[in-house]
Amino acid sequence: ATDTVVVVRAANSSATINGPAFLVSDKQSEATGGTFNYVKSGIIQSLSPSSGQGGTRVTIFGDNLFGNASSLAFVTIGNKQAQILSANSSKVVVRAPPGDQGNRNILLTSSSGSTVLARNAWSYLEPGVIFELTPDRGQPGTIVNINGSRLFGGGKNVSEIIFGDVAAEIL
């Protein structure tokens, strides 16, 4: 703080009230002015999907997800920053960062510093592992068996397979 600028964080309030700013110094002198408007807090209503692995595309649905700011600064899942793919005040799409198995918080932080939190809303699943490709080489058209565990990553099927940078046909 300086004698001309004081930075504060608005306290939690469930009320949507308007009121003047009132400042009291350590010498008990007072300053008033301006109006601060508490607005309805943002809320995360649901996630789709609600579980997955690092790299999963996660859609976050809710109200006032920007916390009355103009944009999001970042989104974290379990204290790790997620890549924001698209965002508006009612729907945010992110790519989940890698994480250890278990439930994690989702935290949206807006450009104004306001936050919207959903506790234990996302569940990291144990990552899939490819054990073996049979055969492990071949020309175009070769049929390849992929053996491993948790290959669907919590889903119901495979949507894409890539060898190097070439997409393979799913049979």
Side-chain angles (χ1 to χ4, degrees), residues 46-123:
S46 66
L47 304 176
S48 180
S50 60
S51 64
Q53 304 166 340
T56 299
R57 184 182 167 125
V58 182
T59 303
I60 303 164
F61 299 97
D63 288 324
N64 199 21
L65 295 176
F66 293 176
N68 210 48
S70 60
S71 64
L72 282 179
F74 53 91
V75 174
T76 57
I77 300 177
N79 297 324
K80 293 184 180 179
Q81 192 163 333
Q83 177 189 9
I84 299 171
L85 302 175
S86 65
N88 64 48
S89 64
S90 62
K91 180 173 129 181
V92 175
V93 180
V94 299
R95 184 149 327 274
D100 296 328
Q101 188 175 4
N103 294 333
R104 301 291 180 267
N105 295 341
I106 301 273
L107 179 67
L108 286 67
T109 303
S110 74
S111 55
S112 70
S114 63
T115 59
V116 180
L117 172 69
R119 294 190 186 281
N120 296 314
W122 170 257
S123 182

Side-chain angles (χ1 to χ4, degrees), residues 141-142 144 146 158-171:
T142 299
V144 180
I146 301 172
V158 174
S159 63
E160 184 177 37
I161 298 172
I162 299 173
F163 295 139
D165 62 355
V166 179
E169 177 187 2
I170 300 170
L171 303 177

Side-chain angles (χ1 to χ4, degrees), residues 22-31:
F22 184 74
L23 184 144
V24 179
S25 76
D26 60 349
K27 297 279 188 185
Q28 300 304 307
S29 58
E30 300 173 358

